[in-house]
Amino acid sequence: MAQMHPLTLAIIDGDKTAATELTQQCLDDGEAAGDIIEQRLVPGMAVIGEQFQQDEIFVPEMLIAANAMKASLAILEPLVAESGAKAPHTAVIGTVEGDLHDIGKNLVGMMWRGANFEVIDLGVNVSPAAFAEAAQEHEPDIVGMSALLTTTVPHMRDAVAAVKATGVETKVLVGGAPVNAEFAQEVGADGFAEDAGAAADIARRLVGAA
Ligand code: B1M
């Protein structure tokens, strides 16, 4: 990690204060907001995703890193919006109907933002119809669905079918503790990710960005 930019290291370390200061410093040095996101923040979150997958760090460290990134994004996002630049990919995410667990879903959303996706978060208890409506409205590259209860997994099946029935060209990625790759394939999803790090990798692969 020796040759990484200090801002990338601040994200990996979850140092919110340093991340805020270094973001401002990059802007003062004339770096464009979009470049700072892509070249400084995204590589930091990629390292975090790898460390999480390797069991080198756990949920608290990932949340701390995500919070450091959020602090940096809070400065950069208005500037990106002003410049008219757009994140290259869009994702819709939600927790399926009947399910109120949102910590894992939020982590996946944060990792996707870190991977330079614009993320539209539908929240929890999202019905199949609401997933389908969001797919039609936003025409996202990816629709992500999370389920934590064995009782709500069947709603994921219905939600995948509802999104596919819209005919919108999008990839559906599913995840959550009771979900596995076999189930994802059986219900016609395009991908399954075991954790938030893998979700970022797979989403990038599904849109051809990795
Ligand atoms: Co609930 N709960 N809970 N709960 N809860 C579990 C899931 C449970 C396993 C606990 C247990 O019994 N051991 C159990 C489910 C059993 C089952 O169905 N097999 C359970 C139960 C039964 C319930 C209630 C029914 C309890 C009750 O009321 N009797 C109730 C249901 C409410 C409802 O949803 N309708 C309930 C309520 C709650 C709280 C509200 C109190 C709270 C949720 C708070 C919140 O989310 N804001 C809660 C919590 C915290 C848990 C546990 C303890 C922790 C879940 C969590 O956040 N984990 C959980 C036990 C456990 O998991 N050890 C439990 C951390 C999180 C980072 O992991 O969400 O798995 P996870 O996400 C991971 C991966 O799964 C994956 O990536 C994430 C990061 O690596 N992933 C995706 C998730 N979504 C993904 C999407 C993707 C890709 C990857 O692509 C789109």
Side-chain angles (χ1 to χ4, degrees), residues 50-110:
E50 271 164 37
Q51 291 180 342
F52 184 72
Q53 274 179 272
Q54 303 298 322
D55 285 339
E56 289 168 15
I57 60 165
F58 300 94
V59 170
E61 289 94 334
M62 188 145 85
L63 277 174
I64 291 167
N67 279 337
M69 189 187 76
K70 275 175 92 177
S72 179
L73 284 177
I75 301 170
L76 298 172
E77 274 176 349
L79 301 174
V80 172
E82 247 172 50
S83 71
K86 214 178 163 293
H89 308 292
T90 310
V92 160
I93 193 166
T95 301
V96 300
E97 188 162 23
D99 205 321
L100 303 177
H101 295 85
D102 70 354
I103 298 172
K105 183 258 305 164
N106 292 345
L107 279 175
V108 173
M110 284 181 197

Side-chain angles (χ1 to χ4, degrees), residues 91-99 120-140 142-145 155-156 158-166 168 170 172:
V92 160
I93 193 166
T95 301
V96 300
E97 188 162 23
D99 205 321
I120 296 130
D121 189 340
L122 305 179
V124 296
N125 192 23
V126 180
S127 68
F131 273 113
E133 272 165 37
Q136 281 170 317
E137 184 185 345
H138 302 289
E139 299 189 338
I142 303 267
V143 176
M145 299 175 187
H155 298 306
M156 189 174 257
D158 297 341
V160 175
V163 169
K164 293 289 177 186
T166 62
V168 172
T170 185
V172 180

Side-chain angles (χ1 to χ4, degrees), residues 52 98 100-104 146 148-150 173 176-177 193-196:
F52 184 72
L100 303 177
H101 295 85
D102 70 354
I103 298 172
S146 177
L148 261 287
L149 299 169
T150 42
L173 182 67
E194 191 152 354
D195 56 44

